[in-house]
Amino acid sequence: MDEKDKYAVIMAGGVGSRFWPVSRIAYPKQFQDMLGTGKSLLQQTFLRLNKIVPQDHIFILTNTDYVGLVTEQLPEVSGQQIIAEPAMRNTAPCILLSALKINKQNSKASMIVAPSDHWIEDEEAFAKDVNKAFEACFHKDLLVTLGITPTFPNTGYGYIKYDKHSEDTLKSVEKFTEKPDYASAQSFLREGNYLWNAGIFIWKTSFIIDQFQNHLPDMFDLFNQGWAKLNTTDEEAFLKDNYLNSESISIDYGILEKAKQVGVIEVNFDWSDLGTWGSLHDQLDKDENDNVSINARSEFIESSNNILRTTKGKIAIIKDLNDYIVLENENILVILPKKDEQDIKTIRNLVMGKFGENLG
């Protein structure tokens, strides 16, 4: 497959509410250095994809409110490479818009769609698996997703069931399951032909557009009527007038669960979607008592398995605390047990209601 036909779309429009209060509406997690590497998650994702896809073929899909942050963090990206959504309508509409824009630019293009907030350590293995997917799509009309070998019955991930009789690297997908209960997740691991859904997709732009025409025809018609305006100065006005009229639905529900020609590649790299503070704790360096400290000048005394995140240089002393999340960001301090981290969204909404929306 020719390099000039490879494109990438980085999804960077979410608010990252599960990482509140560090991730705020005005400055979401994808624009922050969550791992303490000196680069934001968006910058790391861009660099990772740039090893596979030409720099000027990488598009950043974001909310209109975050265009300034994208430009600030990725000055090498032109304005034409930033796709700004005027409203949040889930993943299907923005992926269709991206596919149409890229296809208009290059009708032979294939694209990878990747979230901006994933942790992937072995970037060489990532590149090999993505290139396998690009080659598969080049030779056949396929929707390809990347699957992660499950290591425990996680109820926070989606699962992909594949044909266990397939001996090829690219396996045929039989079913998608969104965030199962614990008993179901346990049974998936026992069956042995289920993978975690990484939410990373590769396909020809022409083929995914056809799938929208077949499975979400109203959405296809809505965006296709603006074909002449895409990639022109008239695009912004067209989206402002029409984007809100699109159905709000995920690419998984809208297309992948309905399509027939779907394949999965079981990848060879470690992966985390960095969806919670607990998942972040798993990926970072720990002291001898499994404590993680980000930004703080910290001292843990008779404490274990905590994650501490403060503003830069804050001195923090933690004593007799085990299995806790301690978060300090500007004017907010949150302390809660790790087992209750799924309550962060609820706490965020409570705080916004009681003290003001600008705290979100």
Side-chain angles (χ1 to χ4, degrees), residues 247-262:
E247 180 183 0
S248 179
I249 188 171
S250 72
I251 191 72
D252 303 76
Y253 285 124
I255 301 295
L256 292 170
E257 292 187 8
K258 301 172 183 175
K260 303 298 183 189
Q261 293 157 275
V262 185

Side-chain angles (χ1 to χ4, degrees), residues 8 16 57 101 116 161 176 193 244 248 291 319 321 339:
H57 286 191
K101 282 173 62 64
S116 58
K161 181 182 182 182
F176 290 89
N193 60 326
L244 265 173
S248 179
N291 296 300
K319 186 176 187 300
L321 202 65
K339 66 181 177 62

Side-chain angles (χ1 to χ4, degrees), residues 115 130 179:
V130 170
K179 297 181 180 178

